[in-house]
Amino acid sequence: SVLKIAAEGSEYISNGTCFIIDADKAGTVVLTNYHVIAENPTNVSVYLPEGGTTHASLIYANKEYDLAVLKTSQKINAAALKFSSKIKKGDAVYTIGYPGASDILSDNKATTSDQATITDGVISMISSMKLYQNGPSIDIIQTTATINHGNSGGPLFNENGEVIGVNTYGVDIAEAQGVYGSIAASSVKAFLNLSEQSFKIESEDI
């Protein structure tokens, strides 16, 4: 249910991670970061779990939340992930995604589900921030679970396999090495509530 996603722009291809949030007979809906597909939101491909790609059409995006929802042209036989907003400082967390740096350690670029990278850590801090001066306040989960380029848009899991956030930030300055941030599930819900679309989000508490 965690897939590689790519948007091909005029000068380069932006790679990231997405995951399934709604799966029914009509198609498969995935969530990722807006900045992953912003270069060309009309030319987006999602890599299938066992190989190959399918086109994905943008359904809804909000730059101020840095989140985007897309629907794949081909139905993907994988389940929607379940969300949870139950978090506390010190909780163990896990990320799954497709960081480009991991391709250095392989003869092939990671594209299929069994080639995804897993990292782990703990919740260091729970906070909030505005991405834009007049934008909404976004709930942020700071973790020690490594997030590299290509991880953006992937899920942050708790120990029960529930999605508690969307991996988005890595602070890349000498004074803040090892500081990573994810958009919390509570803000994912707020983002989805702004859409006129209807999504069947699997959750018990958000």
Side-chain angles (χ1 to χ4, degrees):
S1 299
V2 182
L3 310 164
K4 185 172 183 177
I5 189 170
E8 186 171 354
S10 57
E11 298 181 357
Y12 67 94
I13 297 176
S14 174
N15 293 302
T17 303
C18 65
F19 60 97
I20 298 173
I21 62 170
D22 192 352
D24 57 28
K25 293 180 180 179
T28 300
V29 176
V30 298
L31 177 71
T32 191
N33 284 135
Y34 172 76
H35 74 257
V36 171
I37 56 95
E39 174 68 12
N40 193 343
T42 63
N43 193 15
V44 179
S45 298
V46 171
Y47 289 77
L48 300 172
E50 298 179 356
T53 63
T54 182
H55 176 73
S57 300
L58 181 64
I59 297 176
Y60 174 63
N62 188 311
K63 184 179 179 180
E64 293 182 339
Y65 280 88
D66 194 13
L67 293 171
V69 177
L70 303 98
K71 187 171 184 177
T72 61
S73 299
Q74 180 177 338
K75 175 144 173 51
I76 299 173
N77 293 320
L81 296 180
K82 183 179 180 180
F83 283 82
S84 175
S85 61
K86 295 179 180 178
I87 53 174
K88 67 179 186 298
K89 192 172 181 176
D91 283 352
V93 292
Y94 306 86
T95 74
I96 299 180
Y98 296 86
S102 68
D103 291 338
I104 297 171
L105 303 178
S106 174
D107 290 333
N108 302 302
K109 290 185 178 181
T111 57
T112 61
S113 294
D114 60 356
Q115 294 171 327
T117 295
I118 302 173
T119 61
D120 66 343
V122 298
I123 294 178
S124 307
M125 184 173 69
I126 301 169
S127 60
S128 61
M129 63 179 286
K130 289 185 177 181
L131 301 183
Y132 298 91
Q133 185 175 3
N134 297 319
S137 183
I138 310 297
D139 294 331
I140 301 296
I141 304 171
Q142 180 185 321
T143 78
T144 60
T146 304
I147 299 172
N148 290 306
H149 294 290
N151 277 115
S152 290
L156 181 71
F157 291 104
N158 61 18
E159 288 189 304
N160 297 321
E162 298 165 322
V163 178
I164 58 173
V166 178
N167 302 319
T168 306
Y169 311 102
V171 180
D172 189 19
I173 57 176
E175 297 83 2
Q177 295 179 355
V179 177
Y180 307 100
S182 304
I183 299 171
S186 53
S187 285
V188 174
K189 179 184 179 181
F191 156 76
L192 293 173
N193 284 343
L194 292 174
S195 170
E196 295 180 357
Q197 303 288 330
S198 176
F199 306 107
K200 296 188 304 180
I201 302 301
E202 297 290 334
S203 173
E204 294 180 351
D205 56 14
I206 67 168

